[in-house]
Amino acid sequence: MAHAPATRTLDRDDPLDDFSSREIELDGVAKKVYLMGHGPAVIVMTEMPGISPQVTRFARWVRDAGFTVYMPSLFGRDGAVPQAEEGAAVFKRACVSAEFRAFASNASSPVTQWLRALARLAHAECGGPGVGAIGMCFTGNFALSMMLERAVLAPVVCQPSLPLDDAAGTNVAADELAAVRERLEREDLTVMAYRFDGDRFCKAERFAAFSQALGDRFVARVLPDSAANPVTPPFFAQVVASPHSVVTAHLIDEAGQPTIAARDEILAFFARRLLG
């Protein structure tokens, strides 16, 4: 079957008809996972409020770069355009969910254990040297916690928003951060991280905390607010209300744009670690 183009109409719900889907049970927990592509696995974790057309566009770019995408459904209505009222309701439910420790400064979200198991499965199914992982917004920190699984070689942290009540919080347990740093140094690995300068959910203090914990293995990219797409879905315009989503909702899909450069750097990072 021919590939659907990476860019579809972004103002309509995405039918996800070029993905296959599986119910995957790991550690006694079942979640729907969307898959596409061939090659080493990259786990794409959606931002709030769910798997939007902008998130699926990014997943298709990952596929086109030579990878198998594993995109778990973690919250929200799959494929939906992020509307303000519906998105705010999803956000509120996730904040009180036991899977996500939205207000825990130094504790990891329980869902990261399931995601590490998914990384092991994806590596077994797809082969290659290992697995890539990208988290965004509510899931941003998860890619870092997933480094406790040895299959994960290429973690990308985009605008990590948790915890919501502590700008300098990491949402990762201190012993886990120490273990991640030790692994990064032992295996000569790095973490790529992205945020907009004026993001009100992911401020400079959070990147500073990660830099302190991980040293120069944490490679931070801070984009100017002027690089953010001013035209976004209602959830981002009304609820997020600041530059935020580097490679999805606030990406400007034009050559020479800083957000496109960030996307290309992420794809090159996956290629270097997983295809080289």
Side-chain angles (χ1 to χ4, degrees), residues 45-62:
M45 291 170 280
T46 185
E47 65 189 352
M48 191 59 62
I51 297 174
S52 67
Q54 288 80 6
V55 171
T56 58
R57 175 180 63 179
F58 179 80
R60 292 182 179 104
W61 282 328
V62 174

Side-chain angles (χ1 to χ4, degrees), residues 106-182:
N106 298 301
S108 302
S109 292
V111 72
T112 58
Q113 296 180 25
W114 188 91
L115 291 164
R116 292 200 294 268
L118 179 63
R120 284 193 297 276
L121 176 70
H123 187 215
E125 291 182 343
C126 297
V131 172
I134 178 168
M136 316 172 193
C137 176
F138 219 75
T139 67
N141 300 324
F142 297 175
L144 191 55
S145 294
M146 289 172 69
M147 287 297 290
L148 296 172
E149 164 53 48
R150 64 181 183 178
V152 179
L153 297 179
V156 179
V157 175
C158 275
Q159 68 271 356
S161 302
L162 301 185
L164 295 170
D165 58 346
D166 179 3
T170 63
N171 198 234
V172 182
D175 60 334
E176 291 188 5
L177 270 178
V180 169
R181 178 169 184 157
E182 191 275 332

Side-chain angles (χ1 to χ4, degrees), residues 90-113:
V90 171
F91 177 69
K92 289 175 183 175
R93 284 196 298 273
C95 283
V96 298
S97 166
E99 283 196 304
F100 309 105
R101 290 185 177 158
F103 299 96
S105 295
N106 298 301
S108 302
S109 292
V111 72
T112 58
Q113 296 180 25

